[in-house]
Amino acid sequence: MTDQFNNQNGYTPQSGQPYQQPNFQHSHQQPVVNPQQPHPAKPSTGRTFGTAFAGAALACVIAFGGFTVYQNVTETPSGSNVTLGASTNTEIQAQSTDDTLPEAVAQKCLPSVAAIDVYTQQTSTDMLGRSTSNSGTLTESSLGSGVVLSEDGYIVTNNHVVAGADALKVTVGGEEYDADVVGTDESSDIAVVKLQGASGLTPIEIGDSDNLTIGEWVMSIGSPFGLEQSVATGIVSATSRSQIMSNAESSGSDGYGYGYGYGNPSSQSGGYTIYPNMIQTDAAINPGNSGGALVDSNGKLIGINTLITSYSGNYSGVGFAIPVNYAVNIAQQIIEGKTPTHAQLGVSLSTVNSQNAKHYGLKVDSGAYIAAVSAGSGAADAGLEEGDIITKFDGNAVDSASDLMLDVRSKNPGDTVTLEVNRNGETKQLQVTLGSDESSQAAPTTQNSSKNGSSSGSNELLNRLFNNGSSSQGNAA
C-alpha cells in the first residue's frame, strides 16, 4: 500500500536545507510486542494491560534518537497567556447514532486535528553500519497526528511522533506549516509543537476524561498510514488501563523487540515511559494515528491516541489513548515554559514475588520492596524505611514495583495517600504526601553494576534478592 502525502516536492526552508519525498514506500511495520510474553500485569484488577506498543512511527528507526536539541523549555514562559481548547462549547444534536452523529462529530472536529510529517537528515554509513556524514538533505522519515489547542498554533501530540525530528511540517485546515517543537515530556509521551505564522485556527473543545462511561460512543481522528483527516468510530472499551515501558525495551535491535521497538539505543535516556489510567477503545488506531484525537459524542477531546495491542502491528480492536485531563496538564506546563512534573514518592523499588519471598523468608509474597529512601522526600517524612514492602496504595493491592509506579503517577504532587506496609512481618498504615519529580527526572531509574555481590548493606541484599547476583535495576517512584 502506497502512502498518500500532501507535501510539496522541492520545498526549501529558510535554513536552505531541501526537503524531499522518500524514494521508497513506508513499510508501515509496527514494532510488535509478543502478546504471549507480556509485561508484569494485574489481570484480576484490570489496572494494567499486559502487551502494548506505540502506534505511530512508520519507520522503525526514529524513536527517541537525537531529540535533545529540541528539549529547550526554559524558565521564561513562552505561552503563559495561551488559552488551551475552544473558548466556547457546543452540543451536537443528532437524530440517530447510526445516521448523523458520526457526520456531525467529524464536521466539528476535523478542522482541529493535524497531520504531522517528520523529516530527518540523510546520513551515510560505513560497512559496519556506523553513521559517517550527513548529506544536508531532509527526507520524510515518519508521520503522525496532533490536536490543535490554540488559535495561534499550539499542537499537542505524542513524544514518540516527533522524537528525533530535524524538521516538521504540519497540515491543518488544509494549510501546511513549518513547525517547531516547544518541549516534550518523554516519561509521559507528550509533546507540544508550535506552527510558524499560524492564526485563526480552530482549537478543539476539551472534555473530561475523569467521567467516562464504559460503552459510550467515541471517534478516533488522525492520519493512519498517512491518510489525513480519517475518522473511525467505536466505544470506550475500558478505563484505567496502565502500562510502563522502559526505554531500553523500546529499542529492539531487529525493529520489533518489546515495547516500542523503533528506538535508537544510543539515544535512549534509560528511563521509563509511564502510561497511567489509559482509555481503551475499539475505534481504529493504526500507524499514523498516534498523537491524534479521541473525541466523545459531543466532539470534545477525551484522549490522545497513543498505543495499540496487536499481533500484526496494525489495528486489531484494542487501542489506548492518554486521558485528556492528564495530557493537557502536561501540555500546559510545557507551553508555560516549565519542566513538566509528576507525583513522586521518593523511593527506589524492586518487585517481591513468591519465588524470592520463599527463598529469602519474606513475610509477604507480593508487593514493592523499598531498596532506598530519598532524604527529604515524602516517603522519608512519612517514616518509610529500607526493607519495607508496600502492599497497598489507597486500599488497592500493590503486586509489583510497576504497580506502585503507576499508582503514584496517577496522582498529583501534593496529594496525600495511604500506604499499607509490611515491616518485618508487622503491617503498618502510613500517610504519605507525595512530592514532585522535577529534580530527579534525569535519573528515573537506579542501577547497580555489581555482578558479584560486592555491594554492601541493602544494595547487596537487593542484588541477591531480586537479581540472583546479576546487575540490578530498581524502579524509582
Side-chain angles (χ1 to χ4, degrees):
M1 178 177 178
T2 303
D3 287 344
Q4 298 182 13
F5 302 103
N6 292 332
N7 300 84
Q8 299 292 326
N9 287 325
Y11 174 85
T12 303
Q14 293 180 354
S15 64
Q17 292 180 311
Y19 287 83
Q20 67 179 38
Q21 293 295 328
N23 55 9
F24 55 86
Q25 293 184 2
H26 287 294
S27 67
H28 301 303
Q29 295 176 331
Q30 278 299 91
V32 178
V33 173
N34 184 347
Q36 294 178 345
Q37 297 180 353
H39 293 274
K42 296 182 62 180
S44 62
T45 64
R47 288 165 52 204
T48 62
F49 57 91
T51 57
F53 58 92
L58 304 187
C60 293
V61 295
I62 59 119
F64 300 99
F67 192 63
T68 54
V69 66
Y70 286 116
Q71 296 181 354
N72 57 357
V73 178
T74 67
E75 295 180 358
T76 302
S78 59
S80 57
N81 296 322
V82 175
T83 299
L84 302 187
S87 57
T88 59
N89 292 317
T90 59
E91 299 295 321
I92 288 179
Q93 301 295 327
Q95 296 177 354
S96 151
T97 297
D98 294 329
D99 184 12
T100 62
L101 180 59
E103 297 171 6
V105 172
Q107 183 179 22
K108 177 179 179 179
C109 296
L110 282 171
S112 303
V113 180
I116 299 175
D117 294 286
V118 177
Y119 289 81
T120 53
Q121 288 190 356
Q122 291 282 77
T123 59
S124 301
T125 57
D126 60 18
M127 293 179 60
L128 299 177
R130 296 174 300 191
S131 177
T132 58
S133 64
N134 291 328
S135 67
T137 299
L138 294 172
T139 300
E140 186 175 38
S141 56
S142 64
L143 50 84
S145 304
V147 182
V148 179
L149 293 181
S150 70
E151 294 183 0
D152 59 347
Y154 281 103
I155 305 283
V156 63
T157 184
N158 287 135
N159 175 65
H160 74 255
V161 170
V162 299
D166 292 309
L168 299 172
K169 294 187 73 64
V170 178
T171 302
V172 60
E175 299 291 331
E176 191 175 68
Y177 300 86
D178 291 327
D180 302 307
V181 177
V182 178
T184 69
D185 182 34
E186 182 178 323
S187 73
S188 62
D189 202 9
I190 293 294
V192 175
V193 304
K194 178 69 164 60
L195 308 189
Q196 297 178 9
S199 63
L201 301 184
T202 305
I204 200 161
E205 290 183 15
I206 296 176
D208 183 0
S209 53
D210 289 340
N211 293 303
L212 299 179
T213 302
I214 294 174
E216 74 172 89
W217 186 95
V218 292
M219 174 181 285
S220 65
I221 310 175
S223 302
F225 303 110
L227 301 172
E228 300 172 10
Q229 300 280 279
S230 296
V231 304
T233 61
I235 61 171
V236 173
S237 302
T239 58
S240 300
R241 301 297 201 196
S242 301
Q243 179 72 15
I244 296 175
M245 292 182 181
S246 75
N247 294 339
E249 291 174 319
S250 72
S251 55
S253 59
D254 60 356
Y256 292 86
Y258 298 101
Y260 296 132
Y262 54 78
N264 177 359
S266 64
S267 68
Q268 300 299 316
S269 70
Y272 292 89
T273 302
I274 302 175
Y275 299 100
N277 299 325
M278 298 274 278
I279 304 164
Q280 181 184 333
T281 181
D282 66 348
I285 299 175
N286 275 298
N289 273 118
S290 278
L294 186 71
V295 300
D296 64 14
S297 59
N298 275 310
K300 295 183 179 181
L301 183 69
I302 59 171
I304 302 298
N305 298 324
T306 301
L307 303 174
I308 57 177
T309 294
S310 173
Y311 286 99
S312 67
N314 298 326
Y315 170 71
S316 61
V318 183
F320 303 91
I322 298 173
V324 68
N325 294 7
Y326 183 78
V328 170
N329 176 46
I330 298 295
Q332 181 74 66
Q333 293 179 62
I334 292 173
I335 292 171
E336 292 178 354
K338 301 176 181 177
T339 299
T341 58
H342 320 90
Q344 186 177 61
L345 183 59
V347 295
S348 295
L349 304 166
S350 283
T351 294
V352 174
N353 57 39
S354 56
Q355 244 182 342
N356 55 41
K358 181 178 180 180
H359 189 74
Y360 291 101
L362 302 181
K363 302 301 182 181
V364 293
D365 60 7
S366 64
Y369 177 94
I370 298 180
V373 179
S374 301
S377 66
D381 293 342
L384 285 167
E385 300 176 0
E386 292 182 15
D388 286 349
I389 301 173
I390 299 174
T391 57
K392 287 187 179 181
F393 183 99
D394 275 349
N396 296 317
V398 173
D399 290 339
S400 66
S402 294
D403 278 351
L404 185 59
M405 291 174 71
L406 289 164
D407 286 333
V408 171
R409 182 57 73 90
S410 70
K411 301 294 184 177
N412 295 312
D415 287 351
T416 298
V417 300
T418 301
L419 301 182
E420 184 172 291
V421 174
N422 187 282
R423 180 178 296 168
N424 299 321
E426 182 182 352
T427 299
K428 294 179 175 293
Q429 300 281 338
L430 298 176
Q431 299 285 320
V432 183
T433 299
L434 300 176
S436 167
D437 66 352
E438 182 174 2
S439 63
S440 60
Q441 288 186 83
T445 62
T446 58
Q447 296 186 345
N448 188 311
S449 60
S450 170
K451 295 180 181 292
N452 301 308
S454 59
S455 301
S456 60
S458 62
N459 286 335
E460 181 180 4
L461 173 62
L462 190 63
N463 278 337
R464 292 188 292 105
L465 184 60
F466 300 106
N467 296 279
N468 296 320
S470 63
S471 62
S472 68
Q473 176 172 307
N475 299 330

